Structures are given as C-alpha cells and as structure tokens.
Amino acid sequence: MKKYYETLEFSMIQKAIKNYCFSEMAKNQVDALKPYHDLDDLKLYQDDVFHAMTIIYAYGRIPLAPYEDIEEIIQKAQKGGVCYPQDFLKIIQILKNVLEIQNYLENDIEKSHLVETMELFYLPKDLYNEIQKCIDPSGNIYDHASPELYRLRRQINAIEINMRKKIEALKLQNKDYLSHDVISTRNDHFVLPVNVSYKNQVKGIQHGHSSSGRTTYVEPEAIVAYNNQLAQVKQDEQIEIHRILLELTKKVKSYDRVLKENLEIMIDVDVIFAIGEYGKKLDMVLPIVDEDFQGIEMLKARHPLIDQNKIIANDIVLKKPQDILLISGSNTGGKTVALKTAGLLSLMAICGLPIPVKEAKVPLFDEIFVDVGDEQSIEQSLSTFSSHMKRLVAITQEASKKSLVIIDEICSGTDPHEGESLAQAILTYLHEKGAYVLASTHYSALKEYAKESDYIKIASVEFDQEKMKPTYRLIDGSVGNSYAIEISKHLGLNQQIIDHAAFLKSESMTTSQKLLEKLQTEMEALRQQKEELDKLQIEVQNKEKHYQQLLDNYQSRKEKMIEKAQDEANDLLKELQGQMKPHQVIQAKKQLDDLKYQKKTQENHEDHDYKIGDIVKVLSVNRQGEIIDINKKGLLTISMGGLKLNAKKTEVQFMHEKVPEKKETSNIRSLRKATKQNFELNIIGMRYEEAMIAVDKFIDNALVSNYSMVRIIHGMGTGVLRKGVRKLLDKNKYVKSYQDGGPNEGGLGATLVYFE
C-alpha cells in the first residue's frame, strides 16, 4: 500500500505536519502514520486530535520548546556511567516543557482523553532544582554547585591573582631582556617573552619559541611553584565536578521510569498538537468514519496540497446502491484532481487526520487502491497500457467490499473498442465484489453504459469553453465532452488539421451521438447561464441588504448625533448664559429650536396642508421663510426677513409650524414690532459714538428677528458714518455681505446688509 500512498502524495501531508513538530522523535512518528484497522482506536485518536484543535483555537499553541531524545542518557545512568553537563541540559529542557504544560493546563480546559494524557506528566522537582542549581544554560558548572567547589574555585582565583602579581613584578625586573612587554601563557603556564639573545639571563622552564625564532617563552622559577599548586587545586576541582555529576546521574537513575514516560507522552502530545495546528491552518474538520456507512460523503472537499485561495471545493458523494462514480470531461487535469482529492482525503480520514471539508462521512476502508498517471516500466519492458493493466490486475485480485478503488482514465492507451469493453467488464467485476470505485474516462460507450446502470453515478468536470480551461468544478449527473479538438485548436494546432478532425469526427458519429453531444453542450451552456444568473441575483440581494443596513445605520447615527449635539449645545448655553448678551442667548435658543423641528422633517411634503405661519424652505435659494398668505390657487406668499416672494408647493419644503414666541420684555417687544414694520435704521444727524452703538444694537436685533437683509441709512456727508458702519460690519461674522443702496434705496447714502 506504500506505493498508493506515494501516488496520492500522502508524504507531502506528513511533511506539512512535521513542520509543526518540536522534535525529531515526533517527526519520525508522523512518518509512521498509517491507516487504522480498529474503529475504536481510530475514534480515540480522532478525539485527541479534535480536542487538540479545540484547545489551540481557545488557548493558542501548546508551550513546547524543541527537545531531544534522552533514551541513551537514561541507559548510561542505569549502567552506572556519569552523564555530561550537556546530557543534563537535554533532561532539563524536557522537564521545563513538563512544567510549561502543567501551567498551561491551569487554564479552564475541558476534560478529555487528551487532557488526561497530559495530566500524566510528572515533574521531579528535586531533580529539576538540582540540575538548575548545578549547571548553567551553557553547560558549565556553577561555583555554588557545592561548598567544596566554591572553596576550590576561590582558591584557584587567589593563586592566579598572586601569580599575575608575581609575573608582573618579574616582567619589570627583566624588562631589558624581553622582546615585548605582553605576558602570555603556554600550556596553561604564565611565561615571559624573552629575547632569544638573553634566554639564559632569565632562569626558568622554556616553553618553546615564537614562529620567527626571535622569542623564547620562559616560565620563571618563581612562578613554577605557583603553577604546581594551581595544577593540584584544578585537579581537585575536576574531582569535585565529577562527584557532582555522579550525584546528579544517580538522581537521574532514580527517576528513569518517570523521565521515559514523560518523553513518550511528550512525543505523543507533540504529534497530536502538530496535527491540530495543521488542521487549524487549513480549516479542517474530523470526518465521521463508520464501518456500517454505505457510501462516501465529502461536502465542499478541497485538495490540501493546492493553494487554498485558488482551489475549488467540490461535493464528492456516492451512496449505495450506487458504488461507482464515473467522471468524464475534458482532458485538462480536472478529473485527476477530483480523483486524487477523494483518494487522499479518504486515506487521511482512516489515518485519524482531519481533512479540508465542510463535513464528511466515510467507511473504514481496509485498503485504498490507486491507479493514477501514465507510467511505463522500462525495466520490465512494459508499455503504458501494460503498466496500467498490471496495476488493474492487482487491484481486481486484492480489492474487497471494504476497499476504495481510484482509477484514472480506465483502460486507456489501447484500441478504443477493446478499451471500452475491458473498462466495462472491470467496473462490473468490482461492483460485484462490492468495492467503492471512483474512475474517470473519455470513452463514449462507457458513458452510455454508465447512464443505463443503476449502480453507477455519473459526473463531469466543468469546462470553460471561452477560456478553454477546466473550472475544476464537479457536476453531478452530467456527462462531459472531451473537447479534444477545441483544446488542440486553443493550443495552436494548424486550422486545416482542426477542420479535418472535426469533419472526421462528424462522419464517424451516429445521428443519436450527434444529437446527444449537441444536447449535452446546450445543457451545459444553460446550466452555466443559470448559475451565473443565480450568482448575480445573490449579489444583488446582498448589495441591497448591505445598502439598506448602511442607510439604517446612517439614519440612526444622524439622529443620535443631532440629539447629542442639541444636548451639548444646551449644556454649553447654560454655562455661557451669564457671559452672553441677551440677544445672543435668544438667537442660540432659536437655532436649537429650529434644529429640533428640522430633525422631524425628512422629505418635501408636497401634499402638506400648508397654513399661514408655517416655516418652509424655498428650495431655489435654500433659505427659510414664513408663509404669510395663500391664494385660492394654492400659491404661497413667503416672507424671508422682510422680503416677499411667491412659490408653488412643489418649490418649497415644509420645515415646521411657527414656533410660538415667548413673552419678552417690553423694550424687546416694542423693538421687534418696530423692526417688523421697518427693517432699516437711520443714523443721519447722530454723533459718531452714538451712531455706532445704535448700529451694533440694530444688527443684533435683526439677527434675533432672523432677517436676511436690512438697510442702514447714514447719508453721504463727510463719509465718516459710512466708514464706521462698514468697519462694524466687517467685524461681524454673521454678515455675509453688504453693498450700496440702489437708485430707489438711498444710493451711496445707504448700505444694504445681507446675513448668513
């Protein structure tokens, strides 16, 4: 069956899973994945994978760090050997992983067989602490690994300090004999670099020469005693280190069973979570595997080795009494992809792995046989057909009612009539054995045979005739054409050859075959048109729904923003009320009231029953005014700040009814009455200061009264009043513009003022 694994590229799935493993042992276990034959074992493994994926989605990746095999280290300890510092680092990494997983399990993780397995991890704290105390991350022994080691290293340090002081002194004493003043070491002994001409002037042990031969390295006699003492203490240090490592090794031996079990569990957990990570990446699910299930059901199945952003998901469904799925269509790879997808996902399912589908249910196949691709056996002098037939011979001999058989281009590569006959006979034989068969073909007679057989389900791979490419969509109940001539034309075959081939094809086909091909082509075109229309309809519905949601959200936000702005404005108005002039307060309140009424008005009320006093917006000038008269024909007379105009109902937008005026002081009331009768101010004859005060007050009152335009009469005279008025107007932010009066409006002796 290993050969069938290779054909389906199962090794590529294993390689992808291994990318998520933390150890070589786990990777080796992934390489050993194989189909289950016991359903209970399979379901238990699936349960572990399912809970691993659930935990990953909820709590993230399991906190493992890379770890190594410690089997040989444990054996060394069991046989009385001494472990090296690097051995203990491998052990400590596994113990750190155990500690991390124990902390990870403190999350509120649902109980499962996988969680119970991870709870079997045991941390021998005394071993963990002793290794941490004695060995640093680089594999060196800490000074405080033992009191004796600490004493010895202090002694070594003291000796080395004294030696350095002594040799520094000797360097100064013998400076005239040295080739340079840098102290070095040879064979772990401090030496002086003596010029070869003076080598006999410095007593001591010679430790060789420089490469040039001009320098002799001499260990002074005074240093020899220090070096001997240092060597003895360092030897004692090594003895103590050996003792420490031996004690640690004995502790490892006492926990050999625990360490083995931790390693075994860690490898299993590593593999399970690696599978879970891979399943999460491709959005996979665990299929239902049932011995009694009579069929194959894979909904929205995707090939896991094809770019998931480009792959087309297909429903691969086959249920008894139909046990053969025969796929036809163009010879452009679509059929092979469908067959390999079904075969690979079935293999993954019975190995306990998740698969890239929406949902799936398959039997517990005892074997998956595959004959996909053109292969020639040069060694055995077999042709393509002979190699193909040799595999079919093996399949027909070994397949059982629990087997899945995948055959691409069944019995191709020989005489079409003989090939069709052989293919029909083989499919019939496999059906009688009860095996599930997924096969592809180009044979017309085999397609006809499939249509008439109640145990064969037909399907085709969709082909885009405009682009001359397969869409890789599997269409149930459809028979596909090969499109060999059309594809050849698209690939650049000479048109004369194309025309001749089309003529020969037409001549060789019976009338019924021609009609059938035409019908199939028309049915495929209609199906594609229907799918396109359905797709467009769904898009329109989705867009309509989306835009309605946007509109509703916009309207809701708009109303909330207006209400919020009103509340904030009212609050601000209350805060500033003591700082504002009375007319400014009145104006602000009026604008807020207008806003409240405007909020209620959403559209042009063409059929509104207008009344005198209604406030409307004249659409042509985008200004508001008050209806002061309505004639018999319904024509509205509107006053805008004293200006009157006539408008039809269709030319205005109802805003709100007239806001009742609040009672005001007698001065303001008399002013409003006066201004309604005459919206102008005459300052001729006033002193400059008096005139400016009057103009300022007049402008404020006009704004409160919501006038859009007023007139100020200042005369021509010296022009002082005119300049003063315009200087005031330039400073007022509510003044939109001003100009001289017209011929009947005072000319240069008056200024017409327009407000925002």
Side-chain angles (χ1 to χ4, degrees):
M1 190 169 179
K2 184 177 180 181
K3 187 174 182 180
Y4 303 137
Y5 284 18
E6 293 171 355
T7 303
L8 293 174
E9 298 179 285
F10 186 67
S11 61
M12 298 299 292
I13 301 298
Q14 292 168 307
K15 182 179 178 181
I17 294 172
K18 288 192 291 185
N19 289 332
Y20 297 97
C21 292
F22 290 92
S23 72
E24 287 300 319
M25 298 86 74
K27 291 178 181 179
N28 292 337
Q29 196 174 107
V30 172
D31 283 332
L33 285 172
K34 59 183 180 181
Y36 281 87
H37 296 289
D38 184 273
L39 187 60
D40 291 335
D41 290 343
L42 171 63
K43 288 186 175 180
L44 183 60
Y45 197 77
Q46 282 188 322
D47 183 72
D48 285 349
V49 173
F50 171 78
H51 283 96
M53 294 176 68
T54 303
I55 291 170
I56 291 168
Y57 276 110
Y59 303 103
R61 193 170 186 178
I62 188 170
L64 281 177
Y67 59 97
E68 297 181 50
D69 193 358
I70 59 172
E71 182 66 32
E72 291 184 1
I73 298 172
I74 294 172
Q75 289 179 5
K76 185 195 296 185
Q78 289 172 333
K79 293 177 181 179
V82 178
C83 297
Y84 299 115
Q86 293 300 326
D87 295 335
F88 291 108
L89 291 183
K90 293 178 182 179
I91 292 173
I92 203 68
Q93 185 54 64
I94 289 176
L95 296 182
K96 283 182 178 179
N97 280 344
V98 169
L99 180 60
E100 288 294 329
I101 291 174
Q102 288 178 339
N103 293 334
Y104 185 76
L105 290 175
E106 291 179 2
N107 292 305
D108 188 21
I109 300 176
E110 180 186 357
K111 287 290 182 182
S112 64
H113 176 264
L114 176 62
V115 171
E116 290 174 355
T117 300
M118 290 194 290
E119 287 175 343
L120 294 176
F121 280 120
Y122 178 76
L123 179 67
K125 292 184 179 179
D126 53 342
L127 174 61
Y128 178 79
N129 293 333
E130 279 299 312
I131 296 176
Q132 292 278 75
K133 172 189 171 185
C134 296
I135 301 173
D136 72 13
S138 299
N140 300 311
I141 308 299
Y142 282 121
D143 292 351
H144 290 280
S146 74
E148 177 63 12
L149 182 63
Y150 179 67
R151 185 189 69 79
L152 290 170
R153 286 187 173 174
R154 287 191 64 186
Q155 188 176 354
I156 290 170
N157 188 52
I159 294 171
E160 288 179 340
I161 290 173
N162 291 333
M163 287 176 66
R164 185 168 288 280
K165 288 180 180 178
K166 185 65 178 176
I167 203 164
E168 286 287 346
L170 291 170
K171 182 182 75 171
L172 291 174
Q173 292 176 13
N174 298 280
K175 63 180 181 179
D176 294 336
Y177 307 132
L178 304 182
S179 58
H180 55 80
D181 62 353
V182 178
I183 297 172
S184 58
T185 60
R186 287 291 184 275
N187 304 319
D188 292 331
H189 289 251
F190 281 112
V191 294
L192 292 175
V194 180
N195 191 306
V196 70
S197 303
Y198 302 106
K199 64 180 180 179
N200 295 324
Q201 300 298 320
V202 181
K203 294 183 179 181
I205 301 172
Q206 295 184 8
H207 288 271
H209 298 79
S210 66
S211 58
S212 65
R214 297 177 181 178
T215 301
T216 299
Y217 296 102
V218 179
E219 179 186 2
E221 287 182 346
I223 299 298
V224 172
Y226 281 113
N227 273 327
N228 291 336
Q229 184 184 5
L230 182 62
Q232 181 60 50
V233 178
K234 285 189 173 181
Q235 184 178 353
D236 293 341
E237 177 196 26
Q238 291 304 312
I239 292 172
E240 179 60 15
I241 288 174
H242 183 272
R243 187 194 67 78
I244 292 169
L245 294 177
L246 181 60
E247 290 298 318
L248 287 176
T249 302
K250 289 178 181 178
K251 197 169 284 290
V252 168
K253 180 180 179 181
S254 67
Y255 286 109
D256 56 356
R257 184 179 58 82
V258 170
L259 292 173
K260 280 185 178 181
E261 289 179 355
N262 279 341
L263 180 61
E264 290 171 2
I265 296 170
M266 194 167 295
I267 295 170
D268 290 341
V269 169
D270 192 355
V271 172
I272 291 294
F273 275 90
I275 293 171
E277 289 280 357
Y278 180 58
K280 174 178 176 288
K281 180 184 178 182
L282 271 68
D283 193 24
M284 295 181 175
V285 300
L286 270 301
I288 297 173
V289 181
D290 188 346
E291 286 179 321
D292 299 325
F293 183 60
Q294 299 293 301
I296 300 171
E297 186 175 88
M298 298 178 181
L299 304 183
K300 302 298 180 185
R302 296 170 278 124
H303 196 291
L305 301 178
I306 298 177
D307 186 342
Q308 298 297 293
N309 295 319
K310 298 178 180 178
I311 188 67
I312 301 298
N314 281 309
D315 292 344
I316 302 173
V317 180
L318 185 64
K319 292 183 179 180
K320 296 286 188 179
Q322 292 178 321
D323 49 23
I324 298 175
L325 176 63
L326 187 65
I327 304 174
S328 58
S330 63
N331 191 21
T332 48
K335 300 188 300 300
T336 304
V337 170
L339 293 176
K340 280 192 169 184
T341 300
L344 179 57
L345 299 195
S346 296
L347 177 57
M348 292 172 67
I350 61 176
C351 287
L353 304 180
I355 59 177
V357 295
K358 182 180 179 182
E359 59 181 271
K361 190 173 183 180
V362 297
L364 183 61
F365 296 116
D366 62 354
E367 200 79 84
I368 297 177
F369 298 97
V370 183
D371 178 25
V372 175
D374 295 331
E375 296 180 14
Q376 286 183 314
S377 178
I378 298 175
E379 292 179 0
Q380 300 180 29
S381 301
L382 296 177
S383 66
T384 299
F385 176 76
S386 297
S387 298
H388 174 60
M389 188 50 60
K390 187 175 180 181
R391 292 191 295 273
L392 289 180
V393 168
I395 289 172
T396 54
Q397 289 175 347
E398 299 174 22
S400 71
K401 65 178 181 180
K402 291 186 177 181
S403 301
L404 173 62
V405 178
I406 308 289
I407 308 173
D408 192 23
E409 302 297 347
I410 184 170
C411 295
S412 61
T414 187
D415 176 78
H417 295 295
E418 291 189 5
E420 288 172 340
S421 301
L422 271 172
Q424 181 176 333
I426 289 173
L427 291 180
T428 302
Y429 180 77
L430 290 173
H431 163 66
E432 291 172 351
K433 293 190 80 170
Y436 292 94
V437 182
L438 278 68
S440 66
T441 188
H442 283 296
Y443 291 143
S444 298
L446 196 58
K447 297 176 191 177
E448 291 297 320
Y449 165 71
K451 286 182 180 180
E452 298 171 359
S453 302
D454 57 2
Y455 58 86
I456 300 179
K457 179 180 181 180
I458 59 173
S460 66
V461 176
E462 185 181 50
F463 186 78
D464 189 329
Q465 295 187 54
E466 292 183 3
K467 298 179 180 179
M468 283 290 129
K469 291 181 179 179
T471 66
Y472 296 100
R473 292 184 58 200
L474 198 60
I475 311 300
D476 278 348
S478 171
V479 176
N481 295 326
S482 296
Y483 296 105
I485 296 175
E486 291 84 350
I487 293 171
S488 300
K489 179 181 179 181
H490 181 71
L491 294 174
L493 189 63
N494 184 281
Q495 186 62 43
Q496 182 179 348
I497 301 173
I498 295 295
D499 293 339
H500 190 203
F503 171 76
L504 293 174
K505 174 187 174 184
S506 177
E507 288 294 309
S508 65
M509 294 175 67
T510 64
T511 303
S512 61
Q513 287 176 330
K514 292 178 182 177
L515 289 173
L516 180 60
E517 184 175 270
K518 182 180 179 183
L519 180 61
Q520 289 172 352
T521 302
E522 291 176 350
M523 286 178 64
E524 178 63 18
L526 287 172
R527 188 192 60 75
Q528 291 186 11
Q529 289 177 6
K530 182 180 182 301
E531 284 191 355
E532 188 64 27
L533 288 173
D534 291 343
K535 182 180 177 182
L536 290 173
Q537 185 177 6
I538 292 172
E539 286 181 3
V540 170
Q541 291 173 349
N542 290 338
K543 286 182 179 179
E544 184 180 356
K545 184 179 179 181
H546 175 66
Y547 290 139
Q548 186 59 47
Q549 288 176 344
L550 289 177
L551 185 61
D552 293 343
N553 291 338
Y554 167 76
Q555 190 60 39
S556 176
R557 289 200 308 270
K558 176 183 174 184
E559 292 177 359
K560 288 179 180 177
M561 289 173 66
I562 291 174
E563 290 177 3
K564 182 179 179 182
Q566 286 178 306
D567 293 340
E568 291 177 353
N570 282 320
D571 293 341
L572 183 61
L573 191 59
K574 288 178 182 178
E575 292 178 12
L576 298 177
Q577 196 164 2
Q579 307 171 28
M580 296 173 66
K581 297 179 182 180
H583 70 274
Q584 291 175 319
V585 176
I586 294 170
Q587 179 186 3
K589 285 183 177 180
K590 187 175 189 304
Q591 289 174 341
L592 289 175
D593 288 337
D594 287 346
L595 186 60
K596 291 177 183 177
Y597 282 106
Q598 289 172 21
K599 180 181 138 185
K600 297 176 183 178
T601 306
Q602 301 294 330
E603 59 186 18
N604 181 14
H605 294 265
E606 186 176 326
D607 57 348
H608 178 72
D609 185 14
Y610 289 100
K611 304 185 295 296
I612 293 175
D614 285 351
I615 304 301
V616 297
K617 179 189 286 186
V618 181
L619 301 177
S620 60
V621 295
N622 196 30
R623 288 188 175 276
Q624 294 185 26
E626 178 184 342
I627 298 177
I628 59 175
D629 186 42
I630 305 174
N631 66 15
K632 294 180 179 179
K633 295 182 179 180
L635 192 67
L636 309 177
T637 301
I638 301 162
S639 173
M640 294 188 299
L643 298 177
K644 299 179 183 178
L645 61 83
N646 295 326
K648 299 178 182 178
K649 292 182 180 181
T650 56
E651 297 173 335
V652 301
Q653 178 180 337
F654 174 73
M655 302 306 294
H656 57 81
E657 295 179 353
K658 184 176 181 181
V659 181
E661 295 182 3
K662 297 182 179 180
K663 291 185 178 180
E664 303 167 351
T665 61
S666 57
N667 290 338
I668 294 177
R669 187 167 57 249
S670 60
L671 173 64
R672 182 165 292 179
K673 182 178 179 181
T675 54
K676 283 185 178 179
Q677 293 173 350
N678 185 10
F679 53 99
E680 65 182 32
L681 173 67
N682 190 338
I683 58 173
I684 296 176
M686 293 185 182
R687 289 182 294 106
Y688 180 82
E689 291 79 4
E690 179 186 6
M692 294 304 103
I693 293 172
V695 170
D696 188 36
K697 185 176 181 181
F698 174 70
I699 293 297
D700 285 348
N701 291 334
L703 288 169
V704 171
S705 300
N706 201 28
Y707 289 156
S708 61
M709 187 273 287
V710 296
R711 183 170 64 157
I712 302 174
I713 303 171
H714 42 67
M716 289 185 285
T718 61
V720 174
L721 290 180
R722 181 175 183 271
K723 290 180 180 179
V725 167
R726 298 197 172 194
K727 188 176 180 181
L728 273 178
L729 296 177
D730 286 335
K731 293 179 180 180
N732 195 311
K733 64 180 180 179
Y734 296 105
V735 174
K736 180 180 180 182
S737 63
Y738 56 81
Q739 64 183 42
D740 293 330
N744 298 320
E745 295 172 320
L748 297 177
T751 296
L752 304 182
V753 185
Y754 300 91
F755 300 112
E756 291 284 355

